[in-house]
Amino acid sequence: MQEIKHHEYNEERERLENTQKAIDTFVGDSGRRQSAGADEWSSAALDQHNYEVIQKYQDGRTNPYFGRFDFRADSADDAEKIYLGYQALNLGRYEVIDWRAPIGSLFAGGNAEKQSYRAPEGIIHGRLLLRRRFVIHNGELQQITDEFDRRPHINVEHKVVEFTSNEEYLLQELYSRGDPRLQDIVKTIQKQQDDIIRARHDRIVLINGVAGSGKTSIAIHRMAYLLYPASKTNINASRSIIFCPNPIFLHYVEDLLPKLGERNVHQTTFADWALSRMQLVGKYSIVDTSQKVFLDSHSDREFLRKLWKRARLKGAVRMKQLLNNYSRYLLRIQAIPEKGLAYHQIGEIRLDFYFSQSEINNAINDALSEQFDSLAKARENALFTLRKLIDRKYDEDVDSKAKDLAKQADSLEAAANEIEDSEERNLLVEEAKSHRGFRNRAFSIPITKRKIVSLVNALLQKDFDLIWKQVNFVDDYYALFQNRELLAELAKDALTSDEIQIMGDTNSKPKVIEIEDLAPLLYFYELVFGKFSGKYDHIIVDEVQDFSPLQLELIYSTCNDYSMTLVGDIAQGIHEYRGVSTWSELTDVFPQEKFSLENITQSYRSTQELVTFANEILKQIRKDHPMLAEPFARKGKPPSIIHISSKERMKDQLLSRIQKFLDNGFKNIAIIVKTAEEAMSLIAFLDVAGVNLAANIEQIETEFKYTGGVVVLPVVLTKGMEFEAAIIYNVNEVEFSSQKIYDGRLLYVGVTRALHELQILYTGELSGFLKSAKQKAIFEQF
């Protein structure tokens, strides 16, 4: 190991060793501790808690802390040495403070000597005397760097010490970055990032960040902070949720929260969440037909316009008005038989039940006159009203039949008195006795009534479903758009005539739901079956620009105390046809007095050369005042644009360049193409060529979890991800037409995925979106 030249190395090494010994002692003592709960269940719960605590301390042993700062509060005589780690370790004199603690904000603050932080007891003012960073690997202290040292008793002029600014330390971290998972930013949190992370929990915070700004990391760190008990938010992990744009990105970020010490937060996609809420998981598949058309370079412009308009309409808040009208329409559709409902000779005592047309009509009207939160509840109430009549009708028919049978019994007994034959007389007497016992059998034997009521209930349910049909919400949703006359009538106060015509082109397929229909379908489901009662304590929505206003309103309706973090970048809106094109579209969704927008323009992911290159594309696609990324001062290679004479030679070049990246030590390499079909074709070629790929064709849009290696992905599935090196394949004017802003957004997303190196291959004419950007690149030709 390289010798560490720092005047306090021995002191810090001893501190680390003592911290590790304290951890060992704590773990040993905890392991011997017996659980003593009040019962078996509570003892098991204590055992589980004890196990989790031991695991936390064992995990922290190899890297218990990453930084130290010395702070002297104005109210104190001496400075306090604060050692900061991923989680709190209560070890007495070797205590480690959780980075989320109020005092931890000083580690991300500026370099000013006078600083303050907000503690539970109020604002604490004081002097920040030392900020120090450690690199601890496998339990060994490998590096110490100080940003400043103002301690009055320390004279560092003649000591060997390395002073490194926050930015220089961040630069070192960025150069070494390459893990295929989303990384924590705890050790390098910047002031603006920390302020957002620690913002009030009862706010809807929109993080509007350029590509590579770390906005997703900020949001997840914010979740971890809000879950920290000392934050006093009372937010519970099991009642919190993170929405990710696709399954691949979901796997990409899923390890970060557990690394930050928080588990049990549900992470999902909107599609999976909606299917689960509608109880359709495994019953329907989700498709995005519109996206396939938008990705097709040969699609008809007029057809594209209609698809775009239709998807935007289905995601608009005003879709609620149409579906509200439809729900009210379905409430009024009943077919009550003119003669009512009659059930004869029911059960052992053979009763008759009759529900008149008037009774049925009154039950339905009473239900409609009350305020119910769903169509199903109204139906349920009407049916309940009719069911309540069964007992009365039972009693009435028993009374009627008992009177008739009593009269028959009188006649039988009179006839028996006239008969001399004892056998024949006894038969008549027994029959009379049976008639007189009818009421007793009807009322004194509970099972008799229960059976008959149950039989009538079943018959009534079956007939009521014919009178007032239950809504098959998926089929009935699509049926609305196929009934143009009804659609025109119900949509006249929500849509224009042109919009009604476009909506009428909606088609349906068995067991398939279009992704643009998910939000209105979920809203319709709630109209039919009622809103969900559960609320989330905190919600994160990533790539929020790809969510429609209606989707966001449905998510927001499940939010408790306005506690949401939204993450997005309009420039990366590759699903704008079903998302939002400006943040102003959110004004109708969220209360503006609880809404705040945080712009982050600093890009940390890519080198300065790659960010500058990407900015030129951004200018092309966002001519209306684009929010350009500010490159961090990390130098690297300019991107390469390679013109190749044929598609066959382009594949040869691809193989060569993949191998070169591997030879240079890159472990995370992306080949980015425009469509899933092109990805599958290229995967097949590379597989035959012997390239060891990170995914096969079947996995590409399903259960694929990226853990490193060479991967081929369509650009829409790379959202939010990053790779050490990226190759964008076939960026010509046909595939990425400069006449289609949609193609420009795809290209922008693609070029902003690379950490260190980017290469662009093409045949034919280069995409016009690179017209000015190519001046920032190295041009090659083969």
Side-chain angles (χ1 to χ4, degrees), residues 17 72 74 91 101 119 126 246 251 345 358 402 404 480 513 637 659 678 707-708:
E17 291 171 352
R72 191 180 73 196
D74 290 345
L91 300 168
N246 57 59
H251 292 310
Q345 304 294 292
S358 176
D404 290 342
L480 169 63
I513 296 173
K637 290 184 178 180
Q659 188 58 52
E678 192 172 9
T707 57

Side-chain angles (χ1 to χ4, degrees), residues 48-282:
Q48 178 63 28
H49 174 72
N50 196 35
Y51 169 78
E52 290 174 357
V53 170
I54 290 173
Q55 191 65 47
K56 182 181 86 166
Y57 279 74
Q58 286 178 330
D59 291 344
R61 191 186 190 284
T62 57
N63 190 7
Y65 47 80
F66 55 80
R68 165 191 165 183
F69 60 91
D70 292 9
F71 180 74
R72 191 180 73 196
D74 290 345
S75 58
D77 294 329
D78 298 315
E80 186 178 4
K81 297 178 183 178
I82 306 295
Y83 284 80
L84 210 63
Y86 285 96
Q87 48 199 339
L89 300 175
N90 298 314
L91 300 168
R93 63 180 296 191
Y94 301 109
E95 179 184 18
V96 177
I97 302 297
D98 192 302
W99 66 274
R100 298 169 290 181
I103 197 171
S105 63
L106 296 175
F107 196 72
N111 293 341
E113 184 172 350
K114 291 185 177 181
Q115 297 212 22
S116 61
Y117 68 95
R118 184 181 298 276
E121 61 271 26
I123 303 296
I124 306 297
H125 299 277
R127 297 179 62 221
L128 192 60
L129 303 176
L130 170 72
R131 184 182 290 137
R132 176 171 291 170
R133 300 179 187 274
F134 305 104
V135 174
I136 301 172
H137 184 66
N138 290 331
E140 296 289 334
L141 181 58
Q142 295 189 346
Q143 184 177 334
I144 302 174
T145 57
D146 292 344
E147 287 186 30
F148 52 80
D149 189 346
R150 305 187 183 103
R151 294 172 294 174
H153 63 285
I154 299 293
N155 181 0
V156 297
E157 289 183 10
H158 304 295
K159 303 289 185 180
V160 179
V161 61
E162 180 184 354
F163 284 95
T164 304
S165 69
N166 182 293
E167 288 193 353
E168 289 175 307
Y169 186 82
L170 174 57
L171 191 60
Q172 294 174 13
E173 289 287 310
L174 293 173
Y175 272 123
S176 62
R177 203 150 121 191
D179 194 297
R181 299 163 298 173
L182 186 66
Q183 296 301 292
D184 73 87
I185 56 173
V186 171
K187 294 183 289 186
T188 59
I189 288 177
Q190 306 298 291
K191 180 68 167 61
Q192 183 187 18
Q193 295 172 333
D194 194 62
D195 288 344
I196 297 172
I197 289 168
R198 296 173 187 268
R200 287 180 52 168
H201 75 283
D202 56 346
R203 299 283 298 171
I204 301 162
V205 178
L206 170 57
I207 305 173
N208 177 39
V210 297
S213 59
K215 52 188 178 291
T216 298
S217 290
I218 295 170
I220 294 179
H221 283 68
R222 174 164 165 73
M223 175 75 84
Y225 169 75
L226 294 176
L227 291 171
Y228 183 55
S231 67
K232 305 294 185 182
T233 64
N234 294 319
I235 289 175
N236 187 288
S238 63
R239 295 194 303 270
S240 300
I241 190 168
I242 299 173
F243 288 96
C244 296
N246 57 59
I248 291 181
F249 189 74
L250 180 64
H251 292 310
Y252 176 67
V253 304
E254 65 183 355
D255 296 331
L256 182 50
L257 262 179
K259 183 178 179 182
L260 296 173
E262 298 297 343
R263 291 173 171 79
N264 301 322
V265 174
H266 186 41
Q267 301 183 53
T268 186
T269 64
F270 181 84
D272 288 343
W273 180 75
L275 288 178
S276 176
R277 290 173 86 82
M278 294 185 289
Q279 303 177 60
L280 297 179
V281 176

Side-chain angles (χ1 to χ4, degrees), residues 659-671:
Q659 188 58 52
K660 190 171 182 180
F661 280 151
L662 291 170
D663 292 342
N664 288 340
F666 290 137
K667 295 180 174 62
N668 309 308
I669 303 165
I671 316 303

Side-chain angles (χ1 to χ4, degrees), residues 523-534:
Y523 180 74
F524 184 53
Y525 177 90
E526 292 183 352
L527 291 175
V528 173
F529 296 107
K531 291 186 178 296
F532 302 94
S533 57

